[in-house]
């Protein structure tokens, strides 16, 4: 299984250029399946700082049942 920061709240913000759910860019989302695990880890390592820098509010997601 490929790990992913996707929280199934897929809404692109054209002003910020990222998904409001996971904070990835459209290019990152499109390439995700073909990225190596190291490339995915590198993107994931940037997401929290990107969320803060772009002032994207974190969306609370209930745990899966």
């Amino acid at each position: 299984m490929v790990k992913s920061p996707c929280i199934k709240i897929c809404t692109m913000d054209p002003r910020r250029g990222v998904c409001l759910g996971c904070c990835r860019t459209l290019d990152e989302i499109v390439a995700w399946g073909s990225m190596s695990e190291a490339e995915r880890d590198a993107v994931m390592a940037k997401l929290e700082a990107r969320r803060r820098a772009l002032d994207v509010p974190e969306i609370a997601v209930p745990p899966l049942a």
Side-chain angles (χ1 to χ4, degrees):
M1 176 177 231
V2 174
K3 61 184 168 184
S4 172
C6 181
I7 60 169
K8 307 291 188 251
I9 303 200
C10 307
T11 303
M12 291 304 292
D13 181 330
R15 186 175 61 82
R16 294 180 181 113
V18 297
C19 171
L20 295 178
C22 66
C23 231
R24 289 179 293 172
T25 66
L26 189 56
D27 287 343
E28 290 166 342
I29 293 167
V30 169
W32 197 257
S34 62
M35 286 181 179
S36 68
E37 187 170 345
E39 290 170 320
R40 287 190 297 269
D41 287 344
V43 171
M44 289 180 72
K46 299 175 191 176
L47 295 179
E48 187 55 41
R50 181 182 293 165
R51 182 176 296 283
R52 286 190 308 269
L54 296 175
D55 194 30
V56 176
E58 194 162 341
I59 298 171
V61 178
L64 297 174

